Amino acid sequence: MGILEVKNVGKRFGGLQALGDVNLSVKENSVHAIIGPNGAGKSTLLNCLVGKLIPDTGSVMFDGQSVLGRAPYEINQMGISRVFQTPEIFGDLSVLENMMIPCFAKRDGAFEMNAFSDVMSQKDVLEKAEHMLEEMNMADKRHMHAAAMSRGDKRRLEIGMCLSQEPRLLLLDEPTAGMARADTNNTIDLLKEISDQRDITIAIIEHDMHVVFSLANRITVLAQGTPLVEDDPENIRGNPKVREAYLGETA
Amino acid sequence: MFKLEKTDLSLLVIVAVLTMFAPFILNPFPADSAMAQFNAGYPDLMQRFVIFGVFAIGFNILFGLTGYLSFGHAAFLGVGSYAAVWMFKLLSMNVVPAIILSVIVAGLFSLVIGFVSLRRSGIYFSILTLAFAQMMFALAYSVLTPITGGETGLQLALDDPRILGVSQTAGGNIPVPSIFGLEMRSSAELALGAWSFTFNVGYYFCALIMLVSFYVAIRIFRSPFGMMLRAVKSNQQRMNYTGLNSKPYTLAAFVISGMYAGLAGGLMASMDPLAGAERMQWTASGEVVLMTILGGVGTLIGPVLGAGFIKYFENIFSKINSTILHEWFAFLPDGLEDLLVNVLYPFIGKGWHLTLGILFMLVVIYLPGGLVEGGQRVNGWFRNRGAKKSTTKTTPAE
Ligand SMILES: Nc1ncnc2c1ncn2[C@@H]1O[C@H](COP(=O)(O)OP(=O)(O)O)[C@@H](O)[C@H]1O
Ligand SMILES: [Mg+2]
């Protein structure tokens, strides 16, 4: 049993069958990549996992519990954190505040009416946020306006925010899309470090083969809403079916 | 002190000093000089300054922190006023229970209206709040007349039951609102040479409540709850995917600001024990939006400044008429005098709205941070000049 079990998931948008009959099993502590051509349904699948979409059929189990019908914040509290295709951070807040918010969510839950104590007097949260900023190498930027940072830094911050919640499953939707090579390599290194040093499972949607083969130890290929194959990276590389569907080459 | 950061504490102290000395500060001109009409230090206006200050401080907790723009907050002020007057009629002329009931009733109304309106965001939220407020206004005017007094408004009468008090004073009058015997309307006068100053119980009562409201707002702004409200404004998507339920946060902010509005309404009724439906009209809701934006959305002091600014204009500019203008420019040759008066006339008296409108546009376009941003710019400019001066001074010494 994997930590995430997706069974017979289907999703239809009007006349379009975005997801056909998806089965997917993500093993605990693995880095599982989901690849496939544009429009294959990768983002749709991910949205079904985090409560943004509810699939028409099938089931999604995380750690033995169904996530279907739960709100995004509830699924997050179960231990699934998500990194978006374009970094989603609190642009109007400082970098430190950005990091403190997930720490509060972890400590106090989905809602806490803590209206009369000073933020800076919450030493445990403050320390944890500072610590995470150091780990992300952005301690010097703590008082910066988050919106003023470079895209690479925003991505780093977002990943750090997700990690500070100590999630069991980290989902990433094309985390290197639109990044320069150097930033892409930094992100690869960061994710490698994360999966090596933490007790965490990573599921990553990616377009860039370089990223996929540097990180993943399991790959699912999605085409037209259905999984084509699920296998180890070495077998995927040479698989003619994958080459045909994904790389557009005729065998 | 008060568990506040240094800058916040000094802000609180400044506001406290300004409100406590307001009778002096607002009456800078001798009582019978030509400039006396610019004096704002009379009880009625000073009370309005601080009461609308309370209203705007509360509104800013919703609008400034979460970004949800309510166009119906006057409704909560209105129900607060009605609740207070009913308390005067039925229970006692003491303002304390009246104000407590105002806050509770406004809180309940805002809980229901907020719950429904917050199902939408952006312009749809604003429209929903506006619709609710207009509905309440219309009901107060018509079918709810037994409770609201309809068009005449809710007033005290000589035969009010008043459980803990008398229906009439010994002289056969309606008693007046008081706090444990001290009448809200009583004042002390101080004459210093040509100047005269009025110290009014009602004003000081409202001012103290405003200071407490301001203090509570500072604490909310600096709290984890306040940070979550700013997170709502900044990125709700990220918030929800960070395990936080943005709904109860926004609703709590809505209810808190509704309670502030109810408090303001209760204070209004305590100064003058009557309540009318016009307090709930959409123009009144719009006014608090203007106050907050003019002063500086999301800043602590901005709403108070905006409230004072608008109330000053409303009461002082609207009183200048053409006779007064002619007096001012009497020293000029007749033709020029008439010309100037005719040019200025549209901006004064009933035309004060025009002046306010122009000022509002100028602020929104050139100072999006409101009067607070204006103050910061002036301050920065002085500091820069000061810094330059001190460097030029120290250089030769080296
Ligand atoms: N909310 C939606 N409404 C209608 N169609 C959608 C929606 N989201 C995605 N689709 C369609 O579903 C298909 C799969 O999209 P998506 O999951 O974004 O693909 P990928 O991420 O693999 O590129 C596409 O054809 C897309 O146009
Ligand atoms: Mg996609």
Side-chain angles (χ1 to χ4, degrees):
Chain A
M1 271 290 274
I3 186 165
L4 182 73
E5 291 284 341
V6 177
K7 291 240 164 70
N8 308 108
V9 161
K11 180 76 196 173
R12 196 169 245 296
F13 293 119
L16 177 83
Q17 190 78 37
L19 293 178
D21 182 30
V22 179
N23 289 287
L24 179 74
S25 174
V26 178
K27 270 215 240 19
E28 192 151 15
N29 291 328
S30 66
V31 178
H32 196 126
I34 297 158
I35 64 172
N38 252 330
K42 304 180 299 289
S43 295
T44 304
L45 175 61
L46 195 129
N47 286 333
C48 288
L49 306 182
V50 295
K52 190 165 184 159
L53 291 175
I54 299 175
D56 305 327
T57 57
S59 69
V60 179
M61 305 290 279
F62 173 70
D63 197 24
Q65 277 183 297
S66 174
V67 305
L68 298 187
R70 291 182 203 249
Y73 75 89
E74 292 174 307
I75 295 174
N76 176 279
Q77 291 281 359
M78 290 168 74
I80 303 182
S81 281
R82 172 180 185 180
V83 172
F84 286 80
Q85 200 160 337
T86 40
E88 293 280 354
I89 54 173
F90 301 110
D92 305 328
L93 274 58
S94 76
V95 171
L96 178 62
E97 287 173 323
N98 266 272
M99 201 56 103
M100 288 178 84
I101 287 176
C103 297
F104 274 118
K106 175 81 183 166
R107 191 190 76 178
D108 298 337
F111 174 71
E112 172 79 32
M113 190 72 200
N114 194 353
F116 232 61
S117 62
D118 194 330
V119 168
M120 294 302 157
S121 72
Q122 314 285 302
K123 292 284 181 248
D124 53 336
V125 166
L126 191 61
E127 260 167 39
K128 194 170 162 192
E130 295 268 11
H131 181 77
M132 189 47 91
L133 283 179
E134 263 157 41
E135 247 181 86
M136 292 285 125
N137 282 324
M138 23 188 24
D140 54 324
K141 300 195 172 71
R142 61 158 74 75
H143 294 304
M144 221 170 139
H145 221 219
M149 292 196 303
S150 72
R151 188 175 167 130
D153 280 342
K154 284 181 187 162
R155 167 66 70 221
R156 236 183 148 67
L157 175 62
E158 193 188 20
I159 292 175
M161 287 164 70
C162 288
L163 289 181
S164 68
Q165 298 193 286
E166 299 155 41
R168 298 187 53 207
L169 175 63
L170 180 64
L171 299 174
L172 302 110
D173 191 355
E174 303 202 30
T176 65
M179 267 191 191
R181 197 84 243 176
D183 273 339
T184 302
N185 287 334
N186 284 338
T187 309
I188 293 175
D189 292 343
L190 176 66
L191 291 174
K192 258 195 191 140
E193 206 180 290
I194 292 168
S195 79
D196 288 348
Q197 295 178 357
R198 286 168 195 270
D199 191 18
I200 195 171
T201 312
I202 297 180
I204 180 171
I205 287 177
E206 192 47 85
H207 218 83
D208 187 333
M209 284 302 112
H210 170 59
V211 178
V212 172
F213 287 109
S214 323
L215 284 171
N217 40 39
R218 193 78 185 165
I219 296 176
T220 298
V221 183
L222 209 62
Q224 288 163 8
T226 36
L228 219 51
V229 269
E230 184 184 322
D231 214 332
D232 294 339
E234 11 338 330
N235 300 333
I236 294 285
R237 225 191 272 265
N239 190 320
K241 252 166 74 185
V242 176
R243 290 184 153 251
E244 189 184 342
Y246 189 71
L247 304 168
E249 289 176 14
T250 38
Chain B
M1 205 166 67
F2 299 131
K3 291 193 176 175
L4 290 184
E5 291 274 322
K6 219 161 138 197
T7 48
D8 292 339
L9 185 63
S10 43
L11 190 61
L12 182 66
V13 169
I14 291 171
V15 174
V17 169
L18 288 179
T19 45
M20 289 303 119
F21 289 94
F24 296 107
I25 297 164
L26 294 174
N27 261 5
F29 307 111
D32 30 57
S33 68
M35 298 298 279
Q37 62 201 322
F38 288 106
N39 281 342
Y42 53 97
D44 187 43
L45 182 53
M46 287 196 298
Q47 288 163 4
R48 246 174 282 165
F49 282 152
V50 287
I51 291 173
F52 279 92
V54 171
F55 190 19
I57 289 169
F59 187 75
N60 191 42
I61 291 175
L62 178 69
F63 180 43
L65 290 179
T66 70
Y68 277 77
L69 177 54
S70 162
F71 263 112
H73 257 53
F76 306 127
L77 187 138
V79 296
S81 283
Y82 285 125
V85 175
W86 271 113
M87 212 60 170
F88 292 140
K89 284 169 95 68
L90 300 178
L91 188 75
S92 137
M93 289 309 288
N94 192 332
V95 296
V96 174
I99 286 170
I100 291 174
L101 189 73
S102 302
V103 174
I104 292 173
V105 171
L108 291 176
F109 270 87
S110 49
L111 186 66
V112 174
I113 292 178
F115 184 81
V116 177
S117 304
L118 285 168
R119 299 176 71 87
R120 290 281 170 272
S121 61
I123 188 80
Y124 299 100
F125 166 80
S126 304
I127 297 293
L128 279 172
T129 52
L130 176 63
F132 268 114
Q134 279 304 89
M135 193 172 76
M136 285 166 66
F137 165 70
L139 291 179
Y141 243 117
S142 54
V143 290
L144 292 179
T145 300
I147 301 172
T148 61
E151 284 178 36
T152 42
L154 186 63
Q155 293 172 354
L156 300 186
L158 284 167
D159 56 355
D160 287 329
R162 204 162 298 121
I163 303 164
L164 304 175
V166 290
S167 295
Q168 301 180 15
T169 58
N173 293 321
I174 298 173
V176 295
S178 59
I179 179 162
F180 304 111
L182 192 57
E183 287 183 5
M184 285 292 141
R185 64 176 182 190
S186 56
S187 292
E189 301 276 344
L190 172 70
L192 283 178
W195 284 266
S196 84
F197 307 103
T198 313
F199 306 91
N200 170 259
V201 173
Y203 167 71
Y204 277 98
F205 177 71
C206 294
L208 282 176
I209 288 192
M210 192 204 73
L211 285 177
V212 174
S213 309
F214 187 60
Y215 170 70
V216 171
I218 297 179
R219 293 294 296 267
I220 289 176
F221 266 62
R222 302 295 178 231
S223 71
F225 173 71
M227 195 162 87
M228 295 306 172
L229 297 184
R230 287 189 294 135
V232 169
K233 182 177 183 175
S234 184
N235 191 341
Q236 259 195 72
Q237 163 129 306
R238 175 33 84 203
M239 204 176 166
N240 289 327
Y241 287 93
T242 305
L244 294 161
N245 189 356
S246 55
K247 284 251 170 67
Y249 280 109
T250 326
L251 183 58
F254 192 93
V255 172
I256 291 171
S257 72
M259 288 164 79
Y260 267 79
L263 174 62
L267 288 174
M268 258 182 214
S270 301
M271 297 304 108
D272 188 6
L274 51 86
E278 73 288 343
R279 273 184 201 165
M280 307 167 99
Q281 214 169 356
W282 68 273
T283 46
S285 295
E287 196 180 51
V288 74
V289 179
L290 294 191
M291 286 171 179
T292 312
I293 293 177
L294 192 65
V297 181
T299 63
L300 282 165
I301 189 72
V304 183
L305 292 180
F309 199 85
I310 288 184
K311 286 294 147 190
Y312 186 83
F313 261 80
E314 182 185 283
N315 290 279
I316 304 294
F317 263 70
S318 62
K319 282 202 201 106
I320 305 171
N321 54 31
S322 61
T323 326
I324 294 172
L325 279 186
H326 275 292
E327 271 172 32
W328 287 354
F329 299 117
F331 66 93
L332 291 171
D334 270 358
L336 205 55
E337 178 188 328
D338 288 342
L339 182 70
L340 258 177
V341 170
N342 282 330
V343 169
L344 289 179
Y345 185 70
F347 297 95
I348 52 146
K350 289 217 169 69
W352 75 274
H353 280 114
L354 180 61
T355 316
L356 186 67
I358 292 170
L359 276 171
F360 185 74
M361 284 192 280
L362 290 175
V363 165
V364 170
I365 295 169
Y366 295 106
L367 291 173
L371 296 173
V372 169
E373 188 186 334
Q376 282 165 345
R377 283 203 199 165
V378 171
N379 197 359
W381 188 71
F382 273 111
R383 272 205 194 148
N384 275 344
R385 275 184 38 147
K388 268 183 208 147
K389 259 188 200 156
S390 63
T391 45
T392 46
K393 258 182 207 160
T394 47
T395 338
E398 281 170 357

